[in-house]
Amino acid sequence: MKDTVVVERKKIKLKKAILITGLPGIGLIGRVVGKYLIDELKGVRIANLYSPHFPHQVFMTKKGGMKLIRNKFYLVKTKKYDLVLLIGDVQAITSYGQYEVADVILDYAKKVGIEKVLTIGGYSTGKINENRRIFGVATDKDLLKELKKYGVVFGVARGSIVGAAGLLPALSKLKGIRGACLMGETHGGYVDVTAAKNIVVMLSKLLEFKIDTTKLENKAKEGEKVLKKIEEELQKNAITPYEGATKDVSYIR
Amino acid sequence: MKDTVVVERKKIKLKKAILITGLPGIGLIGRVVGKYLIDELKGVRIANLYSPHFPHQVFMTKKGGMKLIRNKFYLVKTKKYDLVLLIGDVQAITSYGQYEVADVILDYAKKVGIEKVLTIGGYSTGKINENRRIFGVATDKDLLKELKKYGVVFGVARGSIVGAAGLLPALSKLKGIRGACLMGETHGGYVDVTAAKNIVVMLSKLLEFKIDTTKLENKAKEGEKVLKKIEEELQKNAITPYEGATKDVSYIR
Amino acid sequence: MKDTVVVERKKIKLKKAILITGLPGIGLIGRVVGKYLIDELKGVRIANLYSPHFPHQVFMTKKGGMKLIRNKFYLVKTKKYDLVLLIGDVQAITSYGQYEVADVILDYAKKVGIEKVLTIGGYSTGKINENRRIFGVATDKDLLKELKKYGVVFGVARGSIVGAAGLLPALSKLKGIRGACLMGETHGGYVDVTAAKNIVVMLSKLLEFKIDTTKLENKAKEGEKVLKKIEEELQKNAITPYEGATKDVSYIR
Amino acid sequence: MKDTVVVERKKIKLKKAILITGLPGIGLIGRVVGKYLIDELKGVRIANLYSPHFPHQVFMTKKGGMKLIRNKFYLVKTKKYDLVLLIGDVQAITSYGQYEVADVILDYAKKVGIEKVLTIGGYSTGKINENRRIFGVATDKDLLKELKKYGVVFGVARGSIVGAAGLLPALSKLKGIRGACLMGETHGGYVDVTAAKNIVVMLSKLLEFKIDTTKLENKAKEGEKVLKKIEEELQKNAITPYEGATKDVSYIR
């Protein structure tokens, strides 16, 4: 294992397949979306990705087991599309590692028949807006137009996307796969379940699958209450949230 | 030598073979256990491991010789098992290097017939407990059950294991070798011979070899006296031990 | 894409071809020169260079598109020479990456028939001189003599050139290509359009192409006014410009 | 040039050949010794070594030329031995790079017939002793005994040698070449020509070549005067020399 590898648990060959990635990043939006889709749509693990570009750490489990750091691929077969969901606890720790891991992910995606890559991230505004939009960027115009129909806002988010949420669709273009990055509008300093919920709802429309969003909505409501309180406190005391933390989460989308 | 290499001194082929690693880490427990087993059980050096991921330094010896930084493999044939002991002065200095070195160690282990990997480390609690437990994590349930019988405590240590003590058993699973990490409960800021002694005693029961632990017990008693004094001083003066040092030793287990 | 790659958009084979590089560096002089030549001489994009040694970021465009970080090659056919222009937003972020990217650029240059490499950079003096010279270094004497005729000053700039502006011509020598680095004399703390203009004018004489420099001259005049004001303010208040910024821009030429 | 390479200027095949390295390090002793031997014994350049592990910088020369960072091999044929001298301005900037460069140097050494590697460095004592000894470490006993006869002191210098002076002889052992590191006793904070002179004199006896040491002795005398003054000043004012500088030079021997 001198390089990043995908270890397959099941050999699969897909049709009309879409890769959706939910890796940790701003507001943990990608992570929350990915986990929720897998749980609710009963995703089946099809592969693990291991990399020497992940931290040299191993997690201990409640039961006394141990887990290598990895990213995990799940398969969900919906009415219209085969969805491959990628989630994980970390992203590669160096710039070079980010490129290598993205490359290995896309080689695997290509091999199993992925035609489109949608990455889920967050777009940090430093504010808590009631109506949080979904910002998008895409590698081709048709995909952009399609996403626009479902409310994704293009041309507003500016600057750069750091990490896998940007690299995966941008690199996918070089491999003949279409791609887009969907970013939930978010404060940036807090886990944002509402932004995640918005993306889940949008995806269910776009990809025509049914999903029970009750649990996510409940969590989102709780989250909103907490955020409101935080906001009030901040306004009262004119305290800025701990800067280091904010920077950390905004670093990778 | 552009990559990590194992240079064999003896070609060996083993039966019922177990790899036990004692590399530097928290409380230097692994290091003390590894060294003691080799000394008392009269281990024979079978191989050296060199790596460009070790520091670019060379040690000068008392007699005017020089030694490359390396990890060393020793063989001990006990009544029931062939034991391969791995010790060394350092671990790889980058995350990538840690993965590469672990991979090369396991390839060598596989080649010579290792069936099980037991790594020895420390688990830092920040306290000096009289009865120091041995915490464990394992890659498969049978090994976990077997270790439990010998007093190893599972499911209590939580968080992550940094370095070779975690990577080696976790990666060994990918190569079809079973593995566990045994961590001596320890303060974390001091070399802990008592915790090391506990592990030596446990291993001698688990692996059914006889070992004279007198020297280790004597050192442990001396160590305990020193620790008691330190503890008293700390309580008197409410001084925390030098933080940098504590962090350093806890970093790699 | 585990390594740096050049992705060609057009297969070309050139005659009397010269590579001119305008990558970001001191005073942004290279960047300004490269961009201006491409715009005014109507360069056609012939290839993109991608590298895992660039930052792991993706730019979002005004229209909702996304762009991988890359360097871009353009072709301009002038009366006398085929010019290949290399521009980009970044240079590789590690020393190793700088060597790898330079090597891949030169392999491509060699393949398409480049005979000479001219890199454009800045030479930081910490002062704002009215008459900004063009300093040069070259890998062979004939090229040096030729450039001297066009006013390039040799033997005055001393020290070292950091980044692609130095590596490319120096490495090109190992591949049998001649090379020189042309450095606009500049303060170092500000974008210097005047220095860039000087180089554009010199290149047009050296390489015998016609170019409308009106736009560049206008920008340069504006820039000079701003610089004058800055200088006056500095002298009034004896304030040194923000040091970090100065250092950053001087780091790579 | 994705890896470290030796570019040969002359194909050579040597007999009774010894590699002597004089790279920058503590007290610049190695550098001074290497340069002096090449100048006085009229060494002929036989090869250059280039590496992506060197800084990504290029030096500008007085005449307007440019030089890649490199290490240089020179050949001196003495009465009894063929000497290959290695000098350079820098060492590799990462630990991994140090191993790679050392490996490539030794492959070249092996190829041209080197039987022995002698590296020259400094051993920092923090004091200015009148009679500066030469400390040594060696990879085999015969070489150690031989060097002892010529006054080299073994078993006194302790700790570790950082950089090429240590890596080259230690790694050479793995390739069947004998090696030693000769370290001039020195303060560590200053260029030490006297320590360098001592080593040149010793080498001329050991390797039975004649060398005019007048220039070196003159420089050494001047150096001593300067050092005396510095020492007096330090004792008067109890000033410690600039620490950063001291550390830098001691880092690599």
Side-chain angles (χ1 to χ4, degrees):
Chain A
M1 214 186 72
K2 265 166 212 134
D3 292 294
T4 304
V5 287
V6 171
V7 179
E8 293 178 84
R9 294 175 140 212
K10 291 195 175 190
K11 296 280 167 195
I12 52 164
K13 197 75 197 173
L14 307 171
K15 276 181 196 166
K16 294 190 83 174
I18 297 167
L19 176 66
I20 301 173
T21 72
L23 293 168
I26 296 176
L28 274 185
I29 295 168
R31 184 99 178 72
V32 172
V33 170
K35 190 76 173 50
Y36 197 79
L37 291 178
I38 289 167
D39 288 350
E40 283 298 316
L41 302 178
K42 299 192 171 57
V44 174
R45 182 109 59 94
I46 51 172
N48 292 316
L49 179 145
Y50 302 97
S51 175
H53 299 292
F54 289 158
H56 56 297
Q57 264 168 277
V58 159
F59 293 117
M60 297 185 263
T61 68
K62 275 185 212 171
K63 292 180 174 172
M66 59 202 309
K67 288 198 179 306
L68 268 178
I69 286 179
R70 61 194 161 176
N71 287 179
K72 295 175 281 187
F73 293 92
Y74 289 84
L75 177 60
V76 170
K77 290 198 170 264
T78 67
K79 209 177 53 189
K80 212 156 165 197
Y81 300 101
D82 286 348
L83 306 183
V84 173
L85 293 151
L86 174 68
I87 60 166
D89 295 311
V90 298
Q91 297 198 16
I93 55 177
T94 63
S95 204
Y96 183 88
Q98 285 270 354
Y99 276 95
E100 182 179 300
V101 170
D103 188 58
V104 171
I105 289 170
L106 291 172
D107 280 346
Y108 174 68
K110 185 114 198 172
K111 187 182 136 193
V112 298
I114 297 293
E115 293 169 1
K116 210 185 286 179
V117 172
L118 300 176
T119 59
I120 314 298
Y123 185 79
S124 165
T125 59
K127 291 174 201 162
I128 304 169
N129 291 331
E130 201 116 337
N131 293 313
R132 270 162 258 178
R133 291 166 290 177
I134 301 171
F135 298 120
V137 282
T139 60
D140 77 305
K141 285 178 190 167
D142 290 346
L143 184 53
L144 189 154
K145 276 181 201 160
E146 198 191 347
L147 290 166
K148 241 183 184 166
K149 281 186 211 155
Y150 293 86
V152 178
V153 179
F154 286 85
V156 172
R158 297 304 303 274
S160 72
I161 304 173
V162 178
L167 279 188
L168 281 169
L171 286 169
S172 71
K173 203 186 171 182
L174 294 181
K175 303 201 182 246
I177 299 174
R178 301 156 73 202
C181 174
L182 303 168
M183 292 166 281
E185 182 178 5
T186 187
H187 178 282
Y190 315 100
V191 174
D192 193 338
V193 183
T194 300
K197 187 208 67 185
N198 292 349
I199 291 178
V200 168
V201 170
M202 190 275 286
L203 286 175
S204 73
K205 288 175 190 161
L206 173 75
L207 304 174
E208 300 175 44
F209 60 80
K210 280 187 188 151
I211 188 162
D212 181 353
T213 57
T214 324
K215 284 180 215 153
L216 201 57
E217 273 159 23
N218 290 342
K219 271 197 194 166
K221 276 178 203 156
E222 282 172 44
E224 287 306 286
K225 283 181 202 159
V226 176
L227 284 186
K228 278 242 168 82
K229 279 196 188 161
I230 292 171
E231 216 183 12
E232 285 166 21
E233 285 302 306
L234 290 177
Q235 285 177 335
K236 254 192 267 173
N237 306 303
I239 293 163
T240 46
Y242 174 57
E243 232 190 286
T246 316
K247 267 186 195 157
D248 264 354
V249 289
S250 4
Y251 187 60
I252 287 176
R253 293 187 199 174
Chain B
M1 214 185 72
K2 263 166 213 135
D3 292 295
T4 304
V5 287
V6 171
V7 179
E8 293 179 84
R9 295 175 140 212
K10 292 196 174 187
K11 296 278 168 194
I12 53 164
K13 196 74 197 174
L14 308 171
K15 276 179 194 167
K16 294 191 84 174
I18 297 167
L19 175 67
I20 301 173
T21 72
L23 294 168
I26 295 176
L28 274 186
I29 295 168
R31 184 98 178 75
V32 172
V33 169
K35 191 77 173 51
Y36 197 80
L37 291 178
I38 289 167
D39 288 351
E40 282 299 315
L41 303 178
K42 300 195 169 54
V44 175
R45 182 109 59 94
I46 51 172
N48 292 316
L49 179 145
Y50 301 98
S51 176
H53 299 291
F54 288 158
H56 57 296
Q57 265 167 278
V58 159
F59 293 116
M60 297 185 264
T61 68
K62 276 186 212 172
K63 293 180 175 172
M66 59 203 308
K67 287 197 178 308
L68 268 178
I69 286 180
R70 60 194 160 175
N71 287 179
K72 296 176 281 188
F73 293 92
Y74 288 84
L75 178 60
V76 170
K77 290 197 170 264
T78 66
K79 210 177 53 188
K80 211 155 166 200
Y81 300 101
D82 286 349
L83 306 183
V84 174
L85 293 151
L86 173 69
I87 60 167
D89 295 311
V90 298
Q91 297 197 16
I93 55 177
T94 62
S95 203
Y96 183 88
Q98 284 270 353
Y99 277 94
E100 182 179 300
V101 170
D103 188 58
V104 171
I105 289 170
L106 292 172
D107 279 347
Y108 175 67
K110 184 114 198 171
K111 189 183 135 191
V112 298
I114 297 291
E115 294 169 2
K116 212 185 283 178
V117 173
L118 300 177
T119 59
I120 315 298
Y123 186 79
S124 165
T125 59
K127 291 176 202 162
I128 303 169
N129 291 331
E130 201 118 333
N131 293 311
R132 269 161 259 177
R133 291 166 289 178
I134 302 170
F135 298 120
V137 283
T139 59
D140 78 307
K141 285 179 190 166
D142 290 347
L143 183 53
L144 188 154
K145 277 182 200 160
E146 197 191 348
L147 290 166
K148 242 183 184 168
K149 281 186 210 156
Y150 292 87
V152 178
V153 179
F154 287 84
V156 172
R158 297 303 303 274
S160 73
I161 304 173
V162 178
L167 279 188
L168 281 169
L171 286 169
S172 70
K173 203 188 172 182
L174 293 181
K175 303 203 182 243
I177 297 174
R178 301 155 74 200
C181 175
L182 302 169
M183 292 166 280
E185 183 178 5
T186 187
H187 177 282
Y190 315 100
V191 175
D192 193 339
V193 184
T194 300
K197 187 209 65 186
N198 292 349
I199 291 178
V200 167
V201 170
M202 190 275 286
L203 286 175
S204 73
K205 288 176 190 161
L206 172 76
L207 305 174
E208 299 174 45
F209 60 79
K210 280 186 189 154
I211 188 163
D212 182 353
T213 57
T214 323
K215 284 179 217 152
L216 200 58
E217 272 159 24
N218 291 341
K219 272 196 194 168
K221 276 178 203 156
E222 283 172 43
E224 287 305 289
K225 283 182 204 159
V226 175
L227 285 186
K228 278 243 167 81
K229 278 195 189 162
I230 292 171
E231 215 184 12
E232 285 167 20
E233 285 303 307
L234 289 177
Q235 285 177 336
K236 254 191 267 172
N237 307 303
I239 294 162
T240 44
Y242 174 56
E243 232 190 287
T246 315
K247 267 185 194 156
D248 264 353
V249 287
S250 4
Y251 187 62
I252 287 178
R253 292 186 200 174
Chain C
M1 214 184 75
K2 267 169 208 132
D3 291 296
T4 304
V5 288
V6 171
V7 178
E8 293 178 83
R9 294 174 141 216
K10 291 197 177 189
K11 297 280 167 194
I12 53 165
K13 196 76 197 171
L14 308 171
K15 276 180 194 168
K16 294 190 85 174
I18 297 168
L19 176 66
I20 301 174
T21 73
L23 294 169
I26 295 177
L28 274 185
I29 295 168
R31 183 98 179 74
V32 172
V33 170
K35 191 75 174 50
Y36 197 80
L37 291 178
I38 290 167
D39 288 351
E40 283 299 318
L41 302 178
K42 299 193 172 53
V44 175
R45 182 109 58 95
I46 52 171
N48 291 317
L49 179 143
Y50 302 97
S51 176
H53 298 291
F54 289 158
H56 56 296
Q57 265 167 277
V58 159
F59 293 117
M60 297 184 264
T61 68
K62 274 185 212 171
K63 293 180 175 171
M66 59 202 309
K67 288 200 179 302
L68 266 178
I69 285 178
R70 60 195 162 175
N71 286 179
K72 296 175 280 188
F73 294 92
Y74 288 84
L75 177 61
V76 169
K77 291 196 169 267
T78 66
K79 208 178 54 189
K80 212 157 165 198
Y81 300 100
D82 286 348
L83 306 182
V84 173
L85 292 151
L86 174 68
I87 59 166
D89 296 310
V90 298
Q91 296 197 16
I93 55 177
T94 63
S95 203
Y96 183 89
Q98 285 270 353
Y99 276 95
E100 182 179 299
V101 170
D103 188 57
V104 170
I105 289 170
L106 292 172
D107 280 346
Y108 174 68
K110 184 113 198 172
K111 189 183 134 191
V112 298
I114 297 293
E115 293 169 2
K116 210 185 286 180
V117 173
L118 300 177
T119 59
I120 315 298
Y123 186 79
S124 167
T125 59
K127 291 175 201 162
I128 304 170
N129 292 330
E130 202 116 337
N131 293 313
R132 270 161 259 177
R133 292 167 288 178
I134 301 171
F135 298 120
V137 283
T139 59
D140 78 305
K141 286 178 190 166
D142 290 347
L143 184 53
L144 188 154
K145 276 182 202 160
E146 196 191 349
L147 290 166
K148 242 182 184 167
K149 281 186 213 156
Y150 292 87
V152 179
V153 179
F154 286 85
V156 171
R158 297 303 304 274
S160 72
I161 304 172
V162 178
L167 279 188
L168 281 169
L171 286 169
S172 71
K173 202 186 172 183
L174 293 181
K175 304 200 182 246
I177 298 173
R178 301 156 72 201
C181 174
L182 303 169
M183 291 166 283
E185 183 178 6
T186 187
H187 178 282
Y190 315 100
V191 174
D192 193 338
V193 183
T194 300
K197 186 209 66 184
N198 292 348
I199 290 178
V200 168
V201 171
M202 189 275 286
L203 286 175
S204 74
K205 289 175 190 160
L206 172 75
L207 304 174
E208 300 174 46
F209 59 81
K210 277 184 190 157
I211 188 163
D212 181 353
T213 57
T214 323
K215 284 178 215 153
L216 202 57
E217 272 159 22
N218 290 342
K219 271 197 194 167
K221 274 177 204 157
E222 283 172 43
E224 288 306 287
K225 283 181 204 161
V226 176
L227 284 186
K228 278 244 166 80
K229 279 197 186 160
I230 292 171
E231 216 184 12
E232 285 167 22
E233 286 301 308
L234 290 177
Q235 284 176 337
K236 253 192 266 171
N237 307 303
I239 293 163
T240 44
Y242 174 55
E243 230 189 289
T246 316
K247 268 184 193 158
D248 264 353
V249 288
S250 5
Y251 187 62
I252 287 177
R253 291 185 200 175
Chain D
M1 212 184 75
K2 265 166 211 135
D3 293 296
T4 304
V5 287
V6 171
V7 179
E8 293 178 82
R9 295 175 142 213
K10 292 198 175 186
K11 296 280 168 194
I12 52 165
K13 196 75 196 171
L14 307 171
K15 277 181 193 166
K16 294 191 86 175
I18 297 168
L19 175 66
I20 301 173
T21 71
L23 294 169
I26 295 176
L28 274 185
I29 295 168
R31 184 98 179 73
V32 173
V33 170
K35 191 74 174 52
Y36 197 80
L37 291 178
I38 289 166
D39 287 351
E40 283 298 317
L41 302 179
K42 300 195 170 52
V44 175
R45 183 108 58 95
I46 51 173
N48 291 317
L49 179 144
Y50 302 97
S51 175
H53 299 291
F54 288 159
H56 56 296
Q57 265 166 278
V58 159
F59 293 116
M60 296 185 264
T61 69
K62 275 184 212 171
K63 293 179 176 173
M66 59 203 309
K67 288 199 179 306
L68 267 178
I69 285 179
R70 60 193 162 176
N71 287 180
K72 295 176 280 188
F73 293 91
Y74 288 84
L75 177 60
V76 170
K77 291 197 170 266
T78 67
K79 208 178 55 188
K80 211 156 167 199
Y81 300 100
D82 286 350
L83 304 183
V84 174
L85 292 150
L86 173 68
I87 60 167
D89 295 311
V90 298
Q91 297 197 15
I93 55 177
T94 62
S95 203
Y96 183 89
Q98 284 270 353
Y99 276 94
E100 182 179 300
V101 171
D103 188 57
V104 171
I105 289 170
L106 292 172
D107 280 347
Y108 174 67
K110 184 115 199 171
K111 189 183 134 190
V112 298
I114 297 292
E115 294 169 2
K116 212 184 283 179
V117 172
L118 299 177
T119 59
I120 314 298
Y123 185 79
S124 166
T125 59
K127 292 174 200 162
I128 303 170
N129 291 331
E130 201 117 335
N131 292 312
R132 270 161 258 178
R133 291 166 288 178
I134 301 171
F135 298 120
V137 282
T139 59
D140 78 307
K141 285 178 191 167
D142 290 346
L143 184 52
L144 187 155
K145 277 182 201 159
E146 197 191 347
L147 290 166
K148 242 182 184 168
K149 281 187 212 154
Y150 292 87
V152 178
V153 179
F154 286 85
V156 172
R158 298 303 302 274
S160 72
I161 304 171
V162 178
L167 278 188
L168 281 169
L171 285 169
S172 70
K173 202 186 171 183
L174 293 181
K175 303 202 183 246
I177 298 173
R178 300 156 74 201
C181 175
L182 302 169
M183 291 166 282
E185 184 178 5
T186 187
H187 177 281
Y190 315 101
V191 174
D192 192 338
V193 184
T194 300
K197 187 210 66 187
N198 291 348
I199 290 178
V200 167
V201 170
M202 190 275 289
L203 286 174
S204 74
K205 289 176 190 161
L206 172 76
L207 304 174
E208 300 173 45
F209 59 80
K210 279 187 188 154
I211 188 163
D212 181 352
T213 56
T214 323
K215 284 179 217 152
L216 201 57
E217 271 159 23
N218 291 342
K219 272 197 194 168
K221 275 177 203 154
E222 283 171 43
E224 288 306 287
K225 282 181 203 158
V226 176
L227 284 186
K228 278 246 168 77
K229 278 196 187 160
I230 292 171
E231 215 184 12
E232 285 166 21
E233 285 302 307
L234 289 178
Q235 285 177 335
K236 253 192 267 172
N237 307 303
I239 293 163
T240 44
Y242 174 55
E243 231 189 287
T246 316
K247 267 184 195 157
D248 264 352
V249 287
S250 4
Y251 187 61
I252 287 176
R253 293 188 198 175

